[in-house]
Amino acid sequence: MAIDYSALYPVMVMVVFAAALPAIHAVAKSSRVLAGVSLVGIFVTMALELMYIVSGEYPAAIGGASVELLRLDVFAALFALVFLAVAFYVVLASARYVEKDRHQAEYFSLILLATAGMMVVAMAVDLITLFAGLEVASISSFALTAFRKKDKRGAEAGAKYYVIGGLSSAIALYGISLLYGITGTTNIAGINTVLAGMGSELDIALLLAIGLLIAGFGFKVALVPFHMWAPDVYEGAPDPIAGLLAAGSKKMGMVLLFKVFLVGLIAIKADWQLLAGVLAVLTMTVGNVIAVQQTNIKRMLAYSSVGQAGYMIIALAVATPYAVEGSIFHIITHAFMKGGAFMIVAALAYVALGENIANYKGLAKRAPFLAISMTLLLFALAGIPPLSGFVSKFVLFSAAIDASQIADQNWMFWLAIAAILNSALSLYYYVRVIKYMYVDEGSTKDRIKVPWSMTAAVAICVIATIVIGVWPDPVIDVCEQAARALFAG
Amino acid sequence: MIAIEYFLGLSAILFAIGAMGVLVKKNAIVVLMCIELMLNAANINFVAFSAYYGNLTGQVFALVSIAIAAAEVAVGLAIIMNLYKTRDTIGLDEVSLLRW
């Protein structure tokens, strides 16, 4: 029987380009050529995915009728686009960032492979493919984190990320094995069918499986109390890779949680909804409170990223299509806001400006474009209209309030209140950076010259943040379709 | 046929030993071996449940996860070796440049 592999074409394009890069490196020893080729690969894949979304026709799922493994639907295509967009600006900013390093071909190759793994996770409808995609993305990002072998902090960050990543995979795999034991299937929608048929009796093995899955995937998303690794790893990793981890890997973790909990375990949602709500409030509060005290810009962004993950988890606690729509929307806007901020840090690190927030004093006069971009992105992260962060937070929080109208779900109202209070708190440490850039005088007024490729990467993020903020309707529309597709199983 | 409870008991003990080891051991190689124990505990579960239900999904999953674990260890050992080269130690408690 011939299998129709057309759903995998976008992933195949990425893998082919990733495999071709080392060969190209043998002929052309320039990081710009390698980055250019990677950009072409990413662009072709984006065009493919965009074609599917616009036409609304998707290829047949891979696998037989009873054992579907991968399915490319609007949810998968939308998330693939987000991951590809992140990879696009990360590669663009890396073109000059790694120009003096060895093993450049492997660097770009690994970025493409990590993205391909994330795309597989977004397509997975079976726990086997879900786990395989997750590991492809994780293993590539371990290697990318430790990319600068001579860098002491990079080596340490790589080792820490590897130990935590391996541990979280092992915990999640044990949870998956229990889930398979309880239901006898690894098909995510099939698990839900079996659980729905079992009635509402609480099974100790099921509770254990839920706990292990939340812990295992919680490490990937950096939920409190599984977040301790994130700031260390983001600080030690090369700057563009920190952007890839914060804007790409973390979103993949959200996809994992969505697929397993909102598709596979939705029948028993009463068992884990409150837990997810508690984790959401805990994550956003701890992330934002600790971010206030940070003096290193990358650590500050890392903790703010932890806080943002707390907002996204609200969708898990509320578990309605509207909330998931808001969460997907926030994932998209966050990918540009946080990624753009990391790209600015990368650009400034490239010209040897330190990572300390105090080093950014007087930046408005030294690099006006980067300063205004950083201001816009930080305001968007805090949720100031008319930037994209405001619209996505609005949809997300109003979904929580909407769901709290139903009896015995009144506690969801407090999720929205906690999130709004946290947004106000986060404004404090974002504005501190802006004050340093605009109000304080720096020790020097020399202009900073940043390579155009890095400026372009920042510009993409800023433009996306503004455009989505002013004209959110088409994006919200696709997010709604994606949320529906997710709940349709 | 051996009852499934024995397999589950074995895998639970292996998983607990592995998790304990990750928490208390400081040597990166030992931690890596403990993670392998945890992964293999899950594999025992998969194979045991596969035999119990009489479907092959669990065995396929176990094979896939063994292959993935091998790839993970290859990258992990390289990272730990690099840590030893740059820092002269693989004690996880001794590498603490990155700290709040």
Side-chain angles (χ1 to χ4, degrees):
Chain A
M1 189 186 80
I3 303 175
D4 179 14
Y5 283 111
S6 47
L8 263 181
Y9 286 162
V11 177
M12 285 176 187
V13 173
M14 293 295 275
V15 174
V16 166
F17 270 86
L21 280 172
I24 292 166
H25 188 56
V27 212
K29 294 212 178 303
S30 149
S31 63
R32 294 182 217 191
V33 174
L34 293 169
V37 174
S38 317
L39 288 179
V40 170
I42 295 171
F43 196 77
V44 170
T45 319
M46 279 175 113
L48 261 171
E49 302 276 7
L50 206 58
M51 195 187 76
Y52 288 133
I53 291 189
V54 171
S55 71
E57 287 167 25
Y58 297 93
I62 296 178
S66 58
V67 281
E68 276 193 4
L69 292 174
L70 293 165
R71 189 171 62 217
L72 186 59
D73 54 10
V74 60
F75 179 86
L78 180 63
F79 269 98
L81 270 180
V82 176
F83 298 143
L84 288 164
V86 171
F88 191 87
Y89 64 69
V90 168
V91 168
L92 196 57
S94 299
R96 296 289 298 275
Y97 191 87
V98 296
E99 64 190 355
K100 295 193 186 71
D101 290 292
R102 295 183 62 202
H103 310 298
Q104 292 161 353
E106 289 84 343
Y107 176 87
F108 291 110
S109 191
L110 284 168
I111 292 181
L112 295 192
L113 286 177
T115 316
M118 296 176 201
M119 289 161 64
V120 171
V121 170
M123 285 199 294
V125 287
D126 192 287
L127 290 172
I128 296 181
T129 39
L130 190 87
F131 187 71
L134 155 74
E135 286 299 304
V136 170
S138 299
I139 294 173
S140 312
S141 32
F142 299 154
L144 280 171
T145 307
F147 172 66
R148 288 199 161 145
K149 294 201 294 181
K150 299 279 188 288
D151 178 21
K152 290 188 168 184
R153 295 194 308 166
E156 178 180 334
K160 280 185 178 172
Y161 191 27
Y162 173 72
V163 169
I164 293 292
L167 176 67
S168 68
S169 296
I171 293 174
L173 190 68
Y174 200 79
I176 290 173
S177 77
L178 288 181
L179 215 49
Y180 169 62
I182 296 162
T183 58
T185 174
T186 54
N187 186 290
I188 299 178
I191 287 172
N192 190 46
T193 319
V194 175
L195 287 179
M198 277 176 22
S200 60
E201 60 188 296
L202 265 184
D203 188 359
I204 189 86
L206 194 55
L207 278 184
L208 193 60
I210 292 174
L212 289 168
L213 285 168
I214 286 201
F217 295 153
F219 270 119
K220 303 274 177 220
V221 195
L223 291 183
V224 175
F226 313 111
H227 67 289
M228 292 310 291
W229 61 273
D232 288 1
V233 171
Y234 292 1
E235 188 188 343
D239 304 293
I241 297 306
L244 181 73
L245 295 179
S249 280
K250 201 166 212 183
K251 309 300 180 285
M252 179 192 70
M254 291 303 301
V255 176
L256 293 170
L257 287 171
F258 283 170
K259 293 238 170 194
V260 171
F261 282 88
L262 293 178
V263 181
L265 300 173
I266 192 81
I268 50 161
K269 67 176 178 179
D271 290 348
W272 47 261
Q273 259 182 316
L274 193 59
L275 178 64
V278 171
L279 282 177
V281 174
L282 206 61
T283 304
M284 60 178 100
T285 312
V286 170
N288 282 317
V289 167
I290 301 184
V292 169
Q293 310 162 18
Q294 298 304 316
T295 52
N296 179 306
I297 184 102
K298 278 167 88 181
R299 288 186 89 81
M300 189 204 87
L301 288 174
Y303 276 111
S304 119
S305 202
V306 171
Q308 300 276 348
Y311 304 146
M312 295 166 199
I313 292 294
I314 288 179
L316 218 55
V318 176
T320 61
Y322 186 31
V324 173
E325 175 192 337
S327 191
I328 295 174
F329 189 25
H330 195 59
I331 285 170
I332 295 173
T333 59
H334 183 254
F336 289 110
M337 302 185 289
K338 186 56 60 61
F342 270 112
M343 292 311 117
I344 293 173
V345 174
L348 292 172
Y350 177 80
V351 293
L353 194 77
E355 283 170 9
N356 216 306
I357 300 180
N359 295 343
Y360 285 36
K361 279 183 180 170
L363 197 68
K365 293 207 177 65
R366 303 184 65 194
F369 174 73
L370 290 182
I372 189 78
S373 304
M374 191 64 142
T375 309
L376 284 169
L377 293 169
L378 291 180
F379 273 146
L381 279 167
I384 307 257
L387 299 162
S388 64
F390 168 75
V391 197
S392 57
K393 277 188 184 174
F394 183 82
V395 177
L396 186 54
F397 300 168
S398 59
I401 294 176
D402 211 39
S404 71
Q405 309 291 330
I406 305 167
D408 5 307
Q409 293 195 344
N410 298 325
W411 55 273
M412 286 173 189
F413 185 71
W414 295 103
L415 288 179
I417 298 293
I420 291 164
L421 286 177
N422 267 296
S423 297
L425 174 63
S426 69
L427 193 59
Y428 168 77
Y429 57 83
Y430 293 137
V431 166
R432 196 180 47 173
V433 178
I434 295 166
K435 172 184 165 281
Y436 274 150
M437 291 191 300
Y438 280 90
V439 181
D440 290 356
E441 291 285 324
S443 50
T444 162
K445 285 188 177 157
D446 300 343
R447 288 293 289 248
I448 295 175
K449 268 188 82 77
V450 172
W452 69 265
S453 60
M454 288 179 160
T455 313
V458 174
I460 290 175
C461 297
V462 174
I463 290 170
T465 303
I466 296 172
V467 168
I468 298 177
V470 179
W471 193 40
D473 303 348
V475 185
I476 292 185
D477 215 42
V478 184
C479 291
E480 193 190 340
Q481 290 174 28
R484 280 218 201 98
L486 180 74
F487 275 92
Chain B
M1 188 177 153
I2 305 169
I4 190 163
E5 286 82 4
Y6 294 101
F7 292 106
L8 298 186
L10 172 68
S11 88
I13 291 168
L14 271 183
F15 186 79
I17 293 173
M20 197 63 207
V22 172
L23 291 177
V24 299
K25 292 291 178 187
K26 303 297 179 199
N27 184 310
I29 301 283
V30 177
V31 169
L32 203 151
M33 281 162 28
C34 289
I35 291 174
E36 285 304 301
L37 273 186
M38 294 168 74
L39 284 171
N40 283 321
N43 287 341
I44 290 176
N45 264 358
F46 278 125
V47 177
F49 285 131
S50 180
Y52 177 74
Y53 284 113
N55 69 19
L56 287 177
T57 321
Q59 295 189 34
V60 173
F61 210 136
L63 280 176
V64 169
S65 86
I66 288 170
I68 288 171
E72 201 168 0
V73 168
V75 173
L77 285 176
I79 287 175
I80 292 172
M81 206 154 90
N82 184 40
L83 183 73
Y84 183 70
K85 272 189 193 159
T86 53
R87 305 282 285 271
D88 273 338
T89 176
I90 51 168
L92 289 175
D93 53 339
E94 290 169 49
V95 288
S96 51
L97 275 182
L98 302 166
R99 180 159 284 189
W100 160 20

